[in-house]
Amino acid sequence: MPGTFTISLDFELLWGIFDKVGTKYKAEYFENTRRVIPQMLAYFAAAELEATWATVGMLFAENEEEWAAYSPTYLPSYRQRKLSAYAWAKDHGIRPEVHFAPELIQQILDTPGQELGSHSFAHYYTLMRGQSPEQFREDLKATQRIALDKFNTKLESLVFPRNHINELYLEICLEEGYHQVRGNPKKHPHSCPGNLQLCRCKICQHLRDYPSRILKVFSLVFCTHFIKNPPK
């Protein structure tokens, strides 16, 4: 049975690690991310490589007012408050350079072969205690709403933050327009020694042509879970 080689990238900025680092983060890390993404898009376009950019919905906003306007009213009620992006923003405030990136999202959409996917609106953790299926649904709705209003785009692919895949939520994903979800394969079909110069597979041989600064930014994922038969 033929397989599919899928490249998917998580685009998060600070929303992806706020609960890990608090306010102890290096601004230059995210400056590098902003600088490298256009370079990656140019390389992908030149090589005719297709990729899915799983993007946190909060990055779509232009400013704090817009962020608040698109945030759902029914927020995740995690038992651990530190897991909530909304609680973090309330405690520490919003900084556009690490929290918003609509101009990069537009560049992704303008680059041939690139799909704009979702990484949930608020880097939502479906396996953490306290949150509910309806709160997750509201998160997905918020992402679809801001994507449609600002970029006239309907998102169809979803990557669960931290790969927290709650299979009970797959039907919700389908109902909210997501037909592809990145899964967690038990065994990767490609086993690489972790050094592009040592590996002889065609994938790594091709990737050697890319600058190391590009390779450090994205990961290759080898399994996509298609929601064809949602749980009853």
Side-chain angles (χ1 to χ4, degrees):
M1 182 177 178
T4 300
F5 175 60
T6 302
I7 301 177
S8 61
L9 307 97
D10 298 352
F11 182 21
E12 313 165 315
L13 295 185
L14 185 57
W15 297 121
I17 59 173
F18 70 91
D19 55 316
K20 298 289 187 180
V21 300
T23 58
K24 297 179 181 179
Y25 60 88
K26 294 183 178 179
E28 55 267 29
Y29 174 84
F30 301 107
E31 293 172 0
N32 290 337
T33 301
R34 287 181 176 277
R35 184 167 52 252
V36 166
I37 286 178
Q39 298 174 14
M40 292 175 61
L41 290 171
Y43 278 112
F44 283 1
E48 297 184 344
L49 289 174
E50 299 181 352
T52 296
W53 298 74
T55 306
V56 171
M58 290 180 170
L59 293 179
F60 288 57
E62 189 76 36
N63 49 50
E64 186 171 354
E65 291 73 24
E66 195 169 79
W67 168 80
Y70 280 98
S71 295
T73 54
Y74 195 23
L75 304 181
S77 51
Y78 301 115
R79 290 189 184 181
Q80 298 183 59
R81 186 176 181 275
K82 70 174 186 178
L83 299 177
S84 171
Y86 306 98
W88 191 98
K90 182 178 180 179
D91 293 342
H92 305 292
I94 293 290
R95 293 183 60 186
E97 63 271 21
V98 296
H99 288 128
F100 306 134
E103 73 288 350
L104 290 176
I105 292 170
Q106 188 62 59
Q107 288 187 46
I108 293 170
L109 290 170
D110 291 342
T111 303
Q114 308 307 297
E115 178 194 16
L116 185 63
S118 175
H119 203 34
S120 79
F121 186 76
H123 210 254
Y124 194 104
Y125 304 126
T126 64
L127 296 179
M128 303 310 291
R129 294 182 178 182
Q131 55 79 36
S132 70
E134 192 54 39
Q135 291 170 352
F136 177 63
R137 185 186 297 277
E138 290 300 306
D139 181 279
L140 297 187
K141 285 181 177 292
T143 309
Q144 292 285 29
R145 187 164 57 249
I146 196 170
L148 185 61
D149 288 354
K150 295 204 62 180
F151 298 98
N152 195 31
T153 297
K154 182 176 175 57
L155 308 179
E156 296 186 351
S157 298
L158 174 71
V159 173
F160 286 91
R162 304 274 162 82
N163 288 324
H164 284 199
I165 299 177
N166 188 331
E167 294 191 1
L168 297 177
Y169 286 11
L170 293 181
E171 188 169 2
I172 297 175
C173 296
L174 186 64
E175 292 170 352
E176 298 304 327
Y178 296 98
H179 299 281
Q180 289 82 236
V181 170
R182 193 173 78 189
N184 291 324
K186 295 182 179 179
K187 184 177 181 181
H188 285 208
H190 163 62
S191 180
C192 177
N195 187 321
L196 293 178
Q197 302 306 318
L198 296 179
C199 186
R200 296 184 178 180
C201 79
K202 292 182 179 180
I203 295 173
C204 285
Q205 288 177 8
H206 180 72
L207 288 175
R208 287 178 198 146
D209 296 332
Y210 287 84
S212 60
R213 65 181 183 278
I214 299 293
L215 296 176
K216 290 179 181 178
V217 176
F218 70 92
S219 60
L220 300 178
V221 181
F222 304 95
C223 177
T224 299
H225 181 187
F226 293 89
I227 315 174
K228 295 182 178 178
N229 299 298
K232 303 299 183 181

